[in-house]
């Protein structure tokens, strides 16, 4: 019997793990497929567009050549005027004129653009030009942004669980260390001696049957009625628990014998896992300073790695770029020379955005508590003081 039950238990535990991981994997796989489909779509639409020389571009080139001819090498007074004219002329220029669509909108460039769309970063240096591309970008963002927020919420539960458990374990270790320092040897030994005595009074070694309980009533007549009723109640509860144990095995056999009921049970478990999304994130309560420290360390690690392939960045510039990216500000002032290398950081971006989101939520909760304290303090101050009249 033991050899047959062990494989069944192994299969049931594997199924439980699979259905517990299934919602998280489903969201991430859906987002990855959505990003790849968007990359194929935009690379086909924007990468294959025809490049036409417009009248504005020709006018820009004529003005640029005329300014270059009017500039004389010997006269220095015209340099200031030349710089102002050049600045005004380049402000009217369209960046699309200087971009090759096939180079910008290849598969990796389109994938990078899709990531900036549904993460709401939007650097601004890559954007659709064709009318069909603009319409499809709106539709793509309309469905991609909620999917991204769903993934962030789901990953937030995992991060919140890890942070809360690690923080609670740290507090337990800290309290144990403080307790060992404060606790003297005499008091601790006395408490340890008293603990097994207190436990021995509560433990019921063997549950008795109803007949044994009735037979033992003759020996209990000498005791008080209060203690006899308590012991009878405890024995009956123990016996009831023993009777309910085989019923569970029968129910398990019934579930295994009927696959439709087992399927319904697994489906209900999966639906319960979907309903639990976002619950752990609401329960998270860690110090805000700790989250700020985690964000600083997290961004610093990426800022130390990013300049290895982005040669135009140092540590400070990379730290600024990662902060602007994870907070979804996305100014677009810092451009990447190798966007496809940054795509390997997609998991880093998702986890970092979730950490920043958790920090913002904790900061929001702290601000709400602060506003409540300020309002209650002002209300108590403005309330008229009660005058006590003598009798």
């Amino acid at each position: 019997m033991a050899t047959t039950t062990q494989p069944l238990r192994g299969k049931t535990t594997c199924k439980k793990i699979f259905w517990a991981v299934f919602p998280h994997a489903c969201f991430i796989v859906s987002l990855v497929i959505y990003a790849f489909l968007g990359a194929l779509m935009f690379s086909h639409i924007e990468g294959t567009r025809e490049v036409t020389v417009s009248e504005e571009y020709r006018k820009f080139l004529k003005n640029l050549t005329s300014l270059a001819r009017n500039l004389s090498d010997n006269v220095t007074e015209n340099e200031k005027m030349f710089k102002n004219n050049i600045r005004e002329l380049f402000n009217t220029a369209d960046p699309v004129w200087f971009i090759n669509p096939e180079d910008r909108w290849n598969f990796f460039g389109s994938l990078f653009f899709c990531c900036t769309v549904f993460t709401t970063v939007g650097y601004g240096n890559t954007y659709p030009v064709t009318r069909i591309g603009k319409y499809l970008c709106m539709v793509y963002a309309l469905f991609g942004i909620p999917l991204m927020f769903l993934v962030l919420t789901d990953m937030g539960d995992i991060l919140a669980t890890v942070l809360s458990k690690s923080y609670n374990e740290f507090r337990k270790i800290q309290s144990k260390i403080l307790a060992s320092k404060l606790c003297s040897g005499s008091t601790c030994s006395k408490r340890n001696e008293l603990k097994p005595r207190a436990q021995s009074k509560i433990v019921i070694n063997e549950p008795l049957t109803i007949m044994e309980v009735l037979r033992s009533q003759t020996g209990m007549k000498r005791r008080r009625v209060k203690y006899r009723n308590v012991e009878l109640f405890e024995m009956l509860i123990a016996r009831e628990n023993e009777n309910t144990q085989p019923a569970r095995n029968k129910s398990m056999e019934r579930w295994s014998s009927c696959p439709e009921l087992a399927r319904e049970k697994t489906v209900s478990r999966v639906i319960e896992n979907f309903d639990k999304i976002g619950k752990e994130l609401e329960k998270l309560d860690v110090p805000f300073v700790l989250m700020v420290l985690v964000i600083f360390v997290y961004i610093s690690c990426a800022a130390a790695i990013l300049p290895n392939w982005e040669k135009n960045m140092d540590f400070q510039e990379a730290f600024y770029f990662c902060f602007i990216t994870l907070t979804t500000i996305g100014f677009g002032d810092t451009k990447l020379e190798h966007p496809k290398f940054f795509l390997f950081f997609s998991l880093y971006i998702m986890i970092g955005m979730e950490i920043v989101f958790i920090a913002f939520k904790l900061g929001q909760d702290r601000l709400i508590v602060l506003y409540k304290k300020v309002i209650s303090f002002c209300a108590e101050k403005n309330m008229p003081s009660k005058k006590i009249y003598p009798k």
Side-chain angles (χ1 to χ4, degrees):
M1 291 295 291
T3 56
T4 56
T5 54
Q6 284 180 356
L8 291 174
R9 288 179 182 177
K11 288 181 180 179
T12 53
T13 52
C14 290
K15 285 183 180 179
K16 286 180 181 179
I17 293 169
F18 173 76
W19 290 116
V21 177
F22 178 74
H24 312 291
C26 183
F27 294 146
I28 294 172
V29 170
S30 300
L31 186 65
V32 171
I33 293 172
Y34 194 76
F36 275 90
L37 290 176
L40 292 172
M41 179 179 66
F42 285 109
S43 63
H44 177 71
I45 293 171
E46 295 293 332
T48 58
R49 66 180 177 86
E50 295 181 359
V51 180
T52 57
V53 180
S54 61
E55 291 294 330
E56 294 178 355
Y57 181 62
R58 291 175 181 175
K59 187 178 179 180
F60 171 79
L61 291 177
K62 288 179 182 179
N63 292 330
L64 184 62
T65 52
S66 63
L67 285 173
R69 287 173 184 173
N70 293 330
L71 180 65
S72 58
D73 296 331
N74 297 326
V75 181
T76 58
E77 294 178 356
N78 295 330
E79 288 183 3
K80 196 171 186 180
M81 187 184 298
F82 177 75
K83 289 179 180 178
N84 292 329
N85 292 331
I86 285 291
R87 191 181 296 110
E88 291 176 359
L89 182 63
F90 274 95
N91 285 333
T92 60
D94 192 355
V96 180
W97 297 342
F98 314 105
I99 294 171
N100 187 8
E102 294 180 359
D103 296 337
R104 178 61 65 88
W105 291 97
N106 54 14
F107 180 77
F108 289 104
S110 302
L111 187 61
F112 180 74
F113 168 74
C114 292
C115 292
T116 59
V117 169
F118 57 69
T119 55
T120 68
V121 176
Y123 290 120
N125 50 10
T126 304
Y127 51 89
V129 178
T130 61
R131 188 169 294 179
I132 300 173
K134 290 178 181 179
Y135 292 153
L136 288 175
C137 180
M138 290 188 286
V139 176
Y140 187 80
L142 191 65
F143 292 96
I145 293 171
L147 181 60
M148 181 65 191
F149 284 166
L150 186 62
V151 172
L152 290 178
T153 307
D154 183 50
M155 291 180 66
D157 286 338
I158 300 171
L159 287 175
T161 305
V162 172
L163 286 172
S164 61
K165 285 185 178 180
S166 58
Y167 181 70
N168 291 330
E169 289 295 328
F170 174 75
R171 292 297 299 270
K172 285 179 182 178
I173 293 168
Q174 189 180 9
S175 62
K176 284 180 181 179
I177 292 169
L178 292 173
S180 63
K181 288 181 180 179
L182 295 174
C183 182
S184 60
S186 60
T187 56
C188 290
S189 61
K190 288 180 180 178
R191 288 177 185 174
N192 293 327
E193 289 175 359
L194 291 172
K195 280 180 182 179
R197 294 178 183 175
Q199 290 177 358
S200 61
K201 293 180 181 178
I202 302 169
V203 172
I204 301 171
N205 293 324
E206 293 181 358
L208 301 175
T209 60
I210 302 296
M211 296 300 294
E212 290 176 353
V213 170
L214 294 173
R215 287 172 186 172
S216 63
Q217 282 182 357
T218 56
M220 290 183 186
K221 289 180 180 179
R222 298 176 183 177
R223 300 181 185 179
R224 296 175 64 182
V225 179
K226 181 174 69 174
Y227 296 104
R228 187 180 64 187
N229 292 334
V230 170
E231 289 177 3
L232 281 170
F233 185 70
E234 289 178 354
M235 292 173 189
L236 289 172
I237 288 174
R239 182 61 182 170
E240 193 68 25
N241 291 331
E242 190 179 2
N243 290 330
T244 56
Q245 193 67 26
R248 292 181 183 176
N249 296 328
K250 289 177 183 177
S251 65
M252 291 297 292
E253 290 174 1
R254 187 167 64 251
W255 283 113
S256 60
S257 62
C258 187
E260 290 150 357
L261 294 175
R263 195 178 299 119
E264 288 180 2
K265 190 175 181 181
T266 53
V267 169
S268 63
R269 283 179 182 175
V270 173
I271 292 171
E272 286 178 1
N273 291 331
F274 277 102
D275 291 335
K276 290 177 183 178
I277 294 172
K279 301 296 182 183
E280 294 294 330
L281 190 60
E282 295 176 357
K283 299 176 185 177
L284 181 65
D285 188 13
V286 296
F288 181 71
V289 180
L290 178 63
M291 290 303 304
V292 173
L293 182 63
V294 170
I295 292 171
F296 179 78
V297 174
Y298 193 79
I299 295 177
S300 297
C301 293
I305 298 171
L306 193 59
N308 291 328
W309 59 73
E310 294 292 334
K311 302 299 181 183
N312 59 343
M313 287 186 183
D314 54 359
F315 179 80
Q316 296 178 357
E317 192 73 19
F319 189 93
Y320 169 77
F321 174 76
C322 291
F323 181 82
I324 294 299
T325 300
L326 296 182
T327 52
T328 67
I329 297 172
F331 288 126
D333 53 347
T334 304
K335 295 181 180 180
L336 297 175
E337 294 180 356
H338 305 90
K340 56 181 165 184
F341 289 121
F342 195 75
L343 287 172
F344 292 108
F345 265 6
S346 57
L347 184 62
Y348 167 83
I349 293 171
M350 292 170 63
I351 297 173
M353 288 175 66
E354 188 52 49
I355 293 172
V356 172
F357 175 71
I358 291 172
F360 287 165
K361 186 180 180 300
L362 290 174
Q364 180 184 355
D365 295 338
R366 301 299 186 274
L367 283 174
I368 290 171
V369 172
L370 180 63
Y371 276 117
K372 286 180 180 179
K373 288 181 180 179
V374 170
I375 290 170
S376 62
F377 177 76
C378 294
E380 288 176 0
K381 211 168 186 183
N382 293 327
M383 284 179 67
S385 58
K386 295 181 181 180
K387 295 181 179 180
I388 301 171
Y389 296 98
K391 293 181 181 180

